[in-house]
Amino acid sequence: MARTLMLCAVGTLEQAEACANTPTYRLEVRTSERQQAVLYLCSAHIHRAWYLGQLALDRKFPGENVFVRSIHLHQLPRAAAAEAAL
Ligand SMILES: [Zn+2]
C-alpha cells in the first residue's frame, strides 16, 4: 500500500483552518441511518470531534440531513501515526 500523507482532517473540513499535525485519533462517525464517515484528527482538535464529525457527514451525504448519532474513537498506534506522516 502506498504511503499517503495523512494530516488532521480540520484543514479539509474547515476552509478557514489548517492543521499540519499528524493525526492521533481515528474517528468513526455514525448516524441512526447507518451511514458513516471516517476522519482523522490530531490531539489538538479531538475536542471538536462531534462538530467535525457532523461536517464530515454533511460533506459525504450532501442534502441528506444526516446527524451524528455516535462517535467511535480509536487512538492510532504511535508507529502508524509516524508512518502516516512520512
Ligand atoms: Zn488538528
Side-chain angles (χ1 to χ4, degrees):
M1 201 168 81
R3 280 180 178 162
T4 49
L5 181 69
M6 197 180 357
L7 295 175
C8 172
V10 161
T12 60
L13 294 169
E14 289 269 60
Q15 288 190 337
E17 294 186 50
C19 178
N21 291 340
T22 302
T24 317
Y25 298 95
R26 178 182 187 275
L27 255 79
E28 276 181 39
V29 194
R30 295 178 193 163
T31 73
S32 53
E33 308 297 324
R34 295 191 174 199
Q35 289 131 319
Q36 65 177 43
V38 173
L39 57 156
Y40 295 86
L41 292 176
C42 74
S43 51
H45 288 111
I46 196 65
H47 66 286
R48 288 163 65 190
W50 197 272
Y51 171 71
L52 293 165
Q54 181 63 53
L55 287 184
L57 285 174
D58 289 343
R59 176 167 297 198
K60 192 171 177 185
F61 305 102
E64 292 191 34
N65 271 331
V66 291
F67 295 100
V68 176
R69 185 179 183 200
S70 64
I71 285 183
H72 303 263
L73 203 64
H74 307 274
Q75 187 160 14
L76 297 172
R78 200 178 266 222
E83 183 161 305
L86 291 174

